[in-house]
């Protein structure tokens, strides 16, 4: 077979694999589709899909078809099994007889003859993330040479699709995290009671981490006493602090090392100096961080699990430290009437970075339109400048729900694709309307910023002054920034070209008076 024919067959297999896997949106659906497709189109006895789990440094069997389908969930520690050779080498491995290779692990427990083919899965950066393998051990079958094109194509497509799903998941998780932190920051600004602040902080932490319960402990007369509990605790647990008070220097809460920074304990019962009553009540894992507003020892913010262990995750520690800092700042504000405006700004900028993470807008777009909207709103005497600014930050939040193939398409969109795009203002409103701190002004910007002065916009087709004033202000700014910014489908316009286009759109897409005010402003 010539190199040209081989390459053609490889490309045909890749196209077929991509068509099969690209529409899938859940990792488990990808896993199952891969092993079932490989099994159905070959005479392999078993098809196995392993993924690498960094925290455990192990390969986990996430899907299987054929003889080994009941082994899903199996974990192979580093160096155990031929799949590790595939992962570490980053290249396909073919064995004519698996009995002849000492690295092979037989999942049945009985060595049997057979052929093996394993290929690595790679993410978009080219790093191996798993192994797709097929074999004929324990049954009647064969693996033909040409089938390697199909198994490699499945592995290649699966790696890219799983990477895309994970990236989208990270973006959505970051959006949820930014939204939760923003809400917490605003709540802390409004609160006047330190215990209410602590309750808000703990509820946010428990939403974003796998821990069962959280508490704020305060130092009082040489003891460490709980001031706030949140989440799920054994019924009798809070009373332990009355019956068995924790003195400074004792146990985990009173440990002097705690003041050096966050402390994580996987199994409290094994912690040196663990207090027996608390271990007996099921306290298992704990993550703690000290609270030191103005540098003085105030208390401890703690997360805990009961019965089952919670593995250490750097993101949980980072989040706990971040929330602890927010709480310290809020406490300092109560002590000295200081503001937490900077905290809210950081969360808003984090949200804008989430939107730009998926290339929804040119880098810096959100912050630019927020600043320009404030300037234009102030110039025309708009009363709710803060609501206008919040609306500018959240205006395209609904685009997070759009598929990548539409969002990042460099060519013109089809009618059906445009129909999907036009839903993003309403999706954004659905996401945001339950947040009590967002004013009507901000929600109006999100919902109506694509309405047009002549009534040809969406989603409601409003016309003229029926469009909320704040949405008309933002629309002028949004169009201007889009014109002067590069996009996948166009170059950045010059300032003079953009001004000319605004004049052309005045009275058609945009409020003519606001266009005039904006042109004077810039």
């Amino acid at each position: 077979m010539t190199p040209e024919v081989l390459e053609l067959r490889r490309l045909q297999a890749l196209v077929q694999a991509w068509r099969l896997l690209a529409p899938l949106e859940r990792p488990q659906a990808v896993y199952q589709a891969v092993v079932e497709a490989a099994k159905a189109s070959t005479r392999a006895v078993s098809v196995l899909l392993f993924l690498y789990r960094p925290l455990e440094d192990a390969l986990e069997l996430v899907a299987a078809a054929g003889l080994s389908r009941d082994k899903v969930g199996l974990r192979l520690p580093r160096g155990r099994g031929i799949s590790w050779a595939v992962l570490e080498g980053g290249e396909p491995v073919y064995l004519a007889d698996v009995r002849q290779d000492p690295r092979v692990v037989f999942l049945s427990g009985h060595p049997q003859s057979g052929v093996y083919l394993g290929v690595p899965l790679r993410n978009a950066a080219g790093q191996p993330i798993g192994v797709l393998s097929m074999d004929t051990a324990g049954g009647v079958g064969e693996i033909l040479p040409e089938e390697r094109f199909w198994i490699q194509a499945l592995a290649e497509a699966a790696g890219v699709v799983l990477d895309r799903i994970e990236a989208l998941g990270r973006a959505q998780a970051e959006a949820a995290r930014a939204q939760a932190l923003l809400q917490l920051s605003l709540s802390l600004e409004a609160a006047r009671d330190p215990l209410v602040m602590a309750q808000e902080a703990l509820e946010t932490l428990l939403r974003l981490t796998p821990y069962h319960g959280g508490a704020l402990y305060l130092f009082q007369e040489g003891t460490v006493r709980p001031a706030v509990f949140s989440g799920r605790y054994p019924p009798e647990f809070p009373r332990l602090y009355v019956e068995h008070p924790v003195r400074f220097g004792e146990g985990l809460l009173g440990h002097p090392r705690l003041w050096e920074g966050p402390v994580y304990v996987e199994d409290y019962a094994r912690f040196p100096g663990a207090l027996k009553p608390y271990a007996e009540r099921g306290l298992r894992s704990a993550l703690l961080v000290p609270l030191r507003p103005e540098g003085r020892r105030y208390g401890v913010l703690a997360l805990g699990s009961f019965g089952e262990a919670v593995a250490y995750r750097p993101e949980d520690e980072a989040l706990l430290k971040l929330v602890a800092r927010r709480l310290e700042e809020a406490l300092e504000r109560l002590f000295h009437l200081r503001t937490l405006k900077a905290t809210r700004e950081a969360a808003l900028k984090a949200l804008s970075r989430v939107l730009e993470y998926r290339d929804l807008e040119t880098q810096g777009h959100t912050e630019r339109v927020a600043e320009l909207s404030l300037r234009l709103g102030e110039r025309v005497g708009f009363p709710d400048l803060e609501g206008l600014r919040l609306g500018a930050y959240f205006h395209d939040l609904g685009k997070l729900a759009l598929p990548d193939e539409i969002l990042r398409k460099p060519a013109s969109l089809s009618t059906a694709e445009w129909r999907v795009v036009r839903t993003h203002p309403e999706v954004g409103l659905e996401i945001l309307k339950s947040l009590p701190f967002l004013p009507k002004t901000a929600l109006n910007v999100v919902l109506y910023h694509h309405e047009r002065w002549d009534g040809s916009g969406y989603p409601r087709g409003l016309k003229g002054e029926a469009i909320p004033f704040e949405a008309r202000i933002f629309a002028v700014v949004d169009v201007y920034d889009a014109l002067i910014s590069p996009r996948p489908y166009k170059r950045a316009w010059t300032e003079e070209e953009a001004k000319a286009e605004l004049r052309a759109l005045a009275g058609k897409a945009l409020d003519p008076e606001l266009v005039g005010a904006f042109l004077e402003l810039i």
Side-chain angles (χ1 to χ4, degrees):
M1 196 176 294
T2 66
E4 292 78 9
V5 173
L6 288 174
E7 180 64 14
L8 179 60
R9 296 194 67 169
R10 189 189 74 81
L11 291 175
Q12 288 172 336
L14 185 58
V15 169
Q16 185 179 356
W18 183 254
R19 286 176 177 170
L20 172 69
L21 302 180
L24 303 179
E25 298 178 353
R26 295 182 301 105
Q28 193 59 49
V30 176
Y31 307 156
Q32 203 60 37
V34 168
V35 296
E36 289 178 358
K39 183 69 175 67
S41 57
T42 69
R43 293 192 62 207
V45 173
S46 296
V47 178
L48 309 175
L49 179 59
F50 287 95
L51 288 184
Y52 176 59
R53 302 307 189 194
L55 290 178
E56 303 170 34
D57 195 24
L59 283 172
E60 179 189 359
L61 183 60
V62 297
L67 196 61
S68 300
R69 59 183 176 276
D70 60 337
K71 304 296 183 181
V72 172
L74 174 77
R75 280 171 165 78
L76 297 177
R78 178 172 289 275
R80 185 167 183 263
I82 190 65
S83 292
W84 274 102
V86 180
L87 185 78
E88 292 173 337
E91 297 293 336
V93 171
Y94 175 83
L95 301 176
D97 186 355
V98 290
R99 286 180 63 113
Q100 304 304 313
D101 195 311
R103 298 172 297 178
V104 173
V105 172
F106 293 89
L107 301 189
S108 65
H110 306 290
Q112 297 167 304
S113 296
V115 179
Y116 170 88
L117 174 63
V119 297
L121 274 71
R122 302 178 188 276
N123 60 19
Q127 301 165 326
I129 60 172
V131 176
L132 175 61
S133 67
M134 52 198 298
D135 65 75
T136 62
V140 178
E142 61 180 336
I143 298 176
L144 302 175
E146 58 267 25
E147 289 173 349
R148 67 185 177 90
F149 293 113
W150 178 227
I151 194 81
Q152 286 180 288
L154 279 172
E156 187 173 344
V160 174
V161 170
L162 289 172
D163 196 52
R164 185 202 68 192
I165 293 173
E166 183 181 353
L168 179 57
R170 285 196 304 268
Q172 292 171 334
E174 182 63 22
R177 180 176 179 274
Q179 180 177 315
L181 290 176
L182 174 61
Q183 186 168 1
L184 173 62
S185 297
L186 294 174
S187 297
L188 292 181
E189 284 190 10
R192 294 293 181 267
D193 183 340
L195 301 187
V196 172
M197 290 180 173
Q199 187 72 41
E200 292 270 3
L202 291 168
E203 289 174 0
T204 298
L205 286 166
L206 293 176
R207 284 200 304 271
L208 300 176
T209 69
Y211 289 89
H212 303 155
L216 168 68
Y217 298 90
L218 301 179
F219 289 100
Q220 298 174 348
E221 301 176 353
T223 63
V224 187
R225 296 184 179 274
V228 177
F229 282 108
S230 184
R232 296 182 285 116
Y233 279 85
E236 71 281 5
F237 195 85
R239 284 198 54 79
L240 288 178
Y241 295 93
V242 178
E243 300 168 358
H244 305 279
V246 180
R247 294 176 177 81
F248 184 72
E250 296 179 345
L252 180 59
L253 285 169
H255 200 286
R257 185 166 61 89
L258 178 59
W259 296 101
E260 299 172 6
V263 171
Y264 166 77
V265 172
E266 183 176 15
D267 190 344
Y268 178 78
R270 297 176 181 270
F271 173 72
L275 301 178
K276 187 175 179 181
Y278 298 90
E280 290 177 341
R281 295 307 190 281
L283 178 59
R284 187 70 182 275
S285 300
L287 183 62
L288 307 92
V289 67
L291 290 176
R292 293 175 291 196
E294 297 182 324
R296 63 187 178 94
R297 293 182 176 182
Y298 177 79
V300 174
L301 203 59
L303 300 174
S305 71
F306 296 87
E308 61 187 57
V310 171
Y312 173 79
R313 300 191 309 175
E315 58 264 35
D316 293 337
E317 179 179 316
L319 182 64
L320 181 59
K321 289 166 64 177
L322 177 61
V323 171
R325 286 199 300 270
R326 296 285 189 270
L327 190 53
E328 285 174 344
E329 290 172 359
L331 290 168
E332 289 175 353
R333 177 179 56 80
L334 286 181
F335 300 155
H336 302 283
L337 302 178
R338 289 168 58 178
T339 181
L340 289 182
K341 183 178 180 181
T343 303
R344 181 173 63 185
E345 291 303 312
L348 285 171
K349 289 177 182 178
L351 181 60
S352 69
R353 286 194 294 271
V354 169
L355 295 172
E356 293 165 6
Y357 176 84
R358 293 186 68 213
D359 291 333
L360 302 186
E361 302 288 1
T362 306
Q363 185 176 8
H365 167 78
T366 305
E367 293 187 44
R368 289 195 302 273
V369 294
E371 180 185 356
L372 280 175
S373 295
L374 279 181
R375 291 174 59 192
L376 180 56
E378 188 174 23
R379 187 177 186 88
V380 298
F382 185 70
D384 186 8
L385 294 177
E386 182 61 8
L388 181 61
R389 189 172 70 96
L390 289 171
Y393 269 103
F394 288 116
H395 73 280
D396 269 346
L397 185 66
K399 283 188 177 179
L400 284 174
L402 298 183
D404 282 352
E405 56 266 25
I406 293 179
L407 197 60
R408 297 177 176 176
K409 186 175 181 180
S412 300
L413 299 180
S414 67
T415 301
E417 288 169 337
W418 262 116
R419 195 175 299 119
V420 174
V421 169
R422 288 160 68 101
T423 65
H424 81 267
E426 292 168 299
V427 173
L429 178 66
E430 284 298 312
I431 295 172
L432 297 170
K433 69 181 182 182
S434 62
L435 298 181
F437 61 84
L438 279 182
K440 182 69 172 177
T441 296
L443 298 179
N444 281 344
V445 170
V446 172
L447 182 60
Y448 298 117
H449 68 281
H450 281 297
E451 300 289 355
R452 293 169 61 95
W453 183 259
D454 61 7
S456 63
Y458 62 89
R460 300 284 190 266
L462 300 183
K463 184 176 182 179
E465 293 185 354
I467 305 169
F469 193 32
E470 53 267 35
R472 285 182 272 148
I473 292 172
F474 178 77
V476 174
V477 171
D478 193 35
V479 168
Y480 176 75
D481 191 81
L483 291 172
I484 64 172
S485 302
R487 296 290 168 84
Y489 49 86
K490 76 168 190 69
R491 64 173 176 83
W493 289 24
T494 66
E495 185 175 329
E496 290 307 315
E497 289 174 328
K499 287 179 179 180
E501 181 65 9
L502 287 184
R503 294 187 187 97
L505 293 173
K508 298 176 182 177
L510 304 173
D511 184 327
E513 292 186 7
L514 288 174
V515 169
F518 183 75
L519 291 175
E520 292 176 3
L521 178 68
I522 61 173

